[in-house]
Amino acid sequence: MLIYALILAPLVAAAAVAALPASNARLVALFGTLANLVLAIVLAGQFDYANAASYQLGATAQFLPQLGITLGVGVDGISLLLILLTALLGPLCVLCSTTAITERQRTFYGWLLVLQAAMVGVFAARDIVLFYVCFEFTLVPMFILISLFGSTNRKRAGIKFFLYTFT
């Protein structure tokens, strides 16, 4: 269940960023990414490093039981490190964007949080359906962030990124 909380925490923070005034967007995003970092550290504390090659701390939820589709998550040694890296980079991205992002803060921080949730979902997925959904869902926030907040030729770069990665 802790891994599901790692995926849902940034999504809840993104919803809060969208609902609250723009002046609070950075603070809410920072709080959401720090909460995700704390959850990732708790996850790392519960991990059995002697059995790092096996999936641990997993959970499975029924998604479409008629089709036999479940949403299975778990971590092994590599995915744990990638989740920790994602959780660590979240607050750093928010803090480093303080001077660069002065307009459309709710858009930037909301999509950054959605991207973080999708990335954790990619690294924690234990079945192909969840992996595919999370991987493809990373394209939407990346496209928006590149297209709106990139540098020169950002719209062209966003479209190229989306098309190449999608195909």
Side-chain angles (χ1 to χ4, degrees), residues 74-148:
V75 292
D76 61 0
I78 294 173
S79 62
L80 176 67
L81 291 176
L82 292 170
I83 289 171
L84 283 168
L85 180 63
T86 302
L88 178 65
L89 287 176
L92 290 177
C93 288
V94 172
L95 290 173
C96 290
S97 67
T98 302
T99 57
I101 306 300
T102 57
E103 299 174 351
R104 296 181 283 203
Q105 291 183 358
R106 287 173 37 187
T107 302
F108 180 80
Y109 293 116
W111 285 112
L112 186 70
L113 288 161
V114 170
L115 177 63
Q116 185 178 26
M119 288 173 53
V120 171
V122 165
F123 298 137
R126 289 205 51 203
D127 58 66
I128 193 69
V129 172
L130 182 62
F131 175 80
Y132 179 76
V133 168
C134 289
F135 182 78
E136 294 299 325
F137 199 66
T138 61
L139 297 178
V140 175
M142 285 299 295
F143 172 75
I144 292 170
L145 291 173
I146 291 169
S147 297
L148 293 179

Side-chain angles (χ1 to χ4, degrees), residues 57-78:
L57 307 169
T60 303
Q62 295 294 325
F63 182 61
L64 294 172
Q66 303 86 351
L67 301 174
I69 298 175
T70 61
L71 300 178
V73 293
V75 292
D76 61 0
I78 294 173

